Structure formats: C-alpha cells, structure tokens
Amino acid sequence: MAEQLKIVGESKEERYASLLPQVESVLEGEPDQIARMANVAAMLHETFHFWWTGFYRVVDNELVLGPFQGPMACTRIRKGRGVCGTAWAEARSQVVPDVDQFPGHIACSSASRSEIVVPLMREGEVVGVLDIDSEKLSTFDETDRLWLERIAEII
Ligand code: SME
C-alpha cells in the first residue's frame, strides 16, 4: 500500500519536483494502464487542485474518456478536434492560455478557461493524452509543460 502523498514547496516547480518521485514510486510494479492513470490523476489533483485533471485513451481511432478527477466530461473526442484531438493529431503538447481563443475548443465545462494537453507516447505513437483544465485564465506555462511531459513519459 502506497504511503500518503507529501508535497513540499511553495512554487509550482518545487511542487512538481516533490510530486515526480512519488509518482514513480506509486507506479512501480503496476502494469495496468488504467490503474496507473487513475493514481496519477488523483495525485495531480491533490497537489494542484486544478478544475479537471484526467486522461483520454486512443481506442478504435477515437479519444475515449479515461480516469479523471473533477466534473463529468465529454466521453469521446475525434482526432484533430478540440485541444485534446489537436494534441493527438500533432503529437505535441498544447498550452492554451484562453480556451475561447482556441479554434474548435470543446467546452466540456463552461467554467474551464485555460487548458494544457500532453500526449502520451508509446513507440512513436500517441496512445492517449493527459488533459488539465483550469477555471482561471493563463494557468499553464512552460514549467507545467516540462513537468507534465516528464510525468507522461513515466505513464
Ligand atoms: N476541452 C477539451 C475537451 C476535454 S475536457 O476539457 C475535459 C478539448 O477541447 O479537447
């Protein structure tokens, strides 16, 4: 049984640095992807209290909702659609300071104002995305992108 999450530090950088080794330790020895995603969504949520933190998996050429923390969300997203579908199509992270300025943004929740989506890669293919929404504008920056890409690599 994993120990309780202990996050130290005030800055975002310090909090991610304190979170990362705990993510590694919780995932160690667990091969099931859903279980891994479920704990990572919970750990990110507990650390940062974002509005919505979760995963979509590529299933039959669509993004299908996976483990998440936050309000209910859209179940399926097509390739190239919204921020998630764009991260999948382009196989790269999307940092969106204002979702209203992102063409084709899919509003699962009207409270969401900014968003970051990081693709999960396996053998050069996108197999899912990590999606985080904030109810405030410009929540995410390069610091989030770098750390979340590290977390995505571990998953
Ligand atoms: N806003 C996302 C859809 C997923 S929800 O935010 C959970 C998008 O545009 O892809």
Side-chain angles (χ1 to χ4, degrees):
M1 184 62 201
E3 290 172 34
Q4 212 184 323
L5 186 65
K6 287 193 200 80
I7 299 297
V8 292
E10 291 298 315
S11 74
K12 188 150 76 173
E13 178 85 33
E14 288 170 321
R15 295 174 78 77
Y16 277 115
S18 137
L19 173 65
L20 191 78
Q22 296 180 76
V23 168
E24 282 170 340
S25 133
V26 163
L27 298 188
E28 202 182 311
E30 177 48 69
D32 187 272
Q33 284 301 318
I34 301 275
R36 294 168 75 83
M37 290 176 183
N39 258 339
V40 172
M43 292 171 91
L44 280 166
H45 181 76
E46 200 178 328
T47 305
F48 295 106
H49 307 287
F50 295 125
W51 176 251
W52 196 92
T53 304
F55 293 90
Y56 284 87
R57 294 178 305 133
V58 175
V59 180
D60 295 336
N61 211 37
E62 264 188 319
L63 285 173
V64 180
L65 184 63
F68 70 94
Q69 299 271 319
M72 61 188 283
C74 320
T75 318
R76 287 172 187 268
I77 299 172
R78 277 184 274 156
K79 197 170 191 173
R81 294 295 180 88
V83 188
C84 291
T86 301
W88 177 18
E90 296 183 3
R92 63 185 173 90
S93 301
Q94 308 288 317
V95 179
V96 182
D98 179 353
V99 295
D100 291 336
Q101 304 302 318
F102 190 95
H105 167 256
I106 302 164
C108 290
S109 158
S110 57
S112 171
R113 307 297 305 282
S114 59
E115 181 163 0
I116 185 166
V117 179
V118 174
L120 308 180
M121 310 292 298
R122 194 189 300 142
E123 291 162 10
E125 296 285 308
V126 178
V127 294
V129 298
L130 166 59
D131 176 18
I132 305 182
D133 286 27
S134 165
E135 74 276 41
K136 299 185 195 102
L137 288 168
S138 303
T139 296
F140 308 104
D141 56 21
E142 282 300 287
T143 302
D144 298 281
R145 186 180 64 77
L146 284 169
W147 284 99
L148 293 172
E149 284 178 356
R150 276 179 212 168
I151 290 172
E153 267 173 41
I154 302 170
I155 297 165

